[in-house]
Every structure is written in structure tokens, then in C-alpha cells.
Amino acid sequence: MERLKTKIRDIPDFPKPGVLFKDITPLVGDPATLRLAVHQLLHPFLEQGITAVGGIEARGFIFGALVAWELGVGFIPLRKSGKLPYEVRSISYQLEYGSASLEAHTDSLGPGDNVLLVDDLLATGGTAKASCELVESLGATVAACAFVIELDFLHGRERLSDYTVHSLVHY
């Protein structure tokens, strides 16, 4: 996965001082590297009976939609509160600096669905864990969580100990 790392740029002090932001813009701008990332995200799950891919707002939409397309299944956007136009199921969760919520349409998933959750980054695991709980609240099963980047020093994987976690690049 060193090839992917060469396309992830470090931006110091963004979005606030002391944070080293992992910018995936060069990765998604390079067709060969983007294709590699998408194929590596989905490869372990080809025979897992995935029926839908859930993408976590916002960069999870980029990778999630492409993974869904490659798998030939639907894409379910997990959005920030107030962004979806139909009836929604919502879940609130705590962040390091406050709280947030995620929503999905109530008819987007149900019993029998086996969902692969996709996002660009696993940090503390709060958003990913809430995404798993949202999917399960709709009656579906979380097959696994797949990330392009995992920040190991934040131990987000520990919050996802009940799920299979697949990450391509570790920092």
C-alpha cells in the first residue's frame, strides 16, 4: 500500500493547530491510484454476500459509491442531520468536542441486507461506530467496515471491536 501513501498529502495545522490532516485529493485525482484503492477496499468482501454499501459523509461517498458500483450493489449515503429529504432514522453520538448525528432514509436498508461500510479515514471510531448502529437500527447487518486510512495511534479500531475492520494504509 506504499503506492497509496505516495498520493496522500500531509497538511499541517488543518483544520486547526496541532492537527496533521491526511489529504486524499491527490489519491482521488489519480485514476490508477483511485482504482487500486477501490479494488483493495472491496477485495476481501467479494464472496461475503454484500447487498449494499454504506458511505459515511462526506469522503466516504467517493469511495463507497465506487465500491458499490464495482460490487454491483446499491449505495446508501449516511448523512449529517438535515441533509436527506425523505423519512429518516437518526443516531446521535459523542465527538471529542461535542456531539453529532447521522441519518439514513428509513427505506434504504432492512432485514436481509448485508452492508459494507466505507469511509476514507478511521480516527477515534466514533462516527464509524455510530454508522454501524444506524445500519443495525434499520434491521440490516454490518458485514464489515473498510477504510482507506487508519490512524492507529487514536485506537478507533477498539471502538469497532464487534466488527471486521479493513484498512489499507496505517499511520
Side-chain angles (χ1 to χ4, degrees):
M1 295 298 97
E2 287 304 311
R3 185 168 155 203
L4 296 180
K5 277 189 173 182
T6 67
K7 296 292 183 176
I8 299 169
R9 161 172 60 204
D10 288 342
I11 308 291
D13 299 319
F14 184 84
K16 60 183 184 178
V19 173
L20 183 62
F21 184 80
K22 299 296 184 186
D23 181 16
I24 60 164
T25 306
L27 188 154
V28 298
D30 179 67
T33 309
L34 178 58
R35 181 180 305 266
L36 173 64
V38 169
H39 285 187
Q40 293 301 314
L41 283 170
L42 68 86
H43 184 67
F45 311 106
L46 287 173
E47 305 299 323
Q48 299 295 316
I50 303 298
T51 61
V53 173
I56 303 169
E57 189 163 341
R59 291 176 298 273
F61 294 176
I62 298 167
F63 296 100
L66 291 169
V67 167
W69 182 75
E70 287 285 339
L71 289 173
V73 300
F75 173 75
I76 309 302
L78 305 180
R79 303 283 325 253
K80 294 176 183 171
S81 183
K83 301 288 186 180
L84 291 172
Y86 185 63
E87 294 175 24
V88 296
R89 176 75 47 88
S90 182
I91 189 160
S92 296
Y93 60 101
Q94 292 302 120
L95 298 168
E96 309 78 64
Y97 49 86
S99 62
S101 61
L102 284 174
E103 297 179 340
H105 282 147
T106 54
D107 63 353
S108 61
L109 296 167
D113 280 314
N114 194 33
V115 180
L116 176 61
L117 287 173
V118 175
D119 203 358
D120 70 317
L121 180 83
L122 174 59
T124 64
T127 303
K129 176 73 170 171
S131 297
C132 292
E133 292 171 357
L134 179 57
V135 165
E136 291 169 341
S137 77
L138 292 166
T141 300
V142 175
C145 301
F147 304 94
V148 177
I149 300 167
E150 183 172 347
L151 302 178
D152 296 332
F153 62 94
L154 293 176
H155 308 287
R157 184 177 288 255
E158 293 173 11
R159 292 181 90 172
L160 300 174
S161 62
D162 293 336
Y163 306 97
T164 298
V165 176
H166 172 59
S167 301
L168 304 182
V169 176
H170 293 264
Y171 292 98

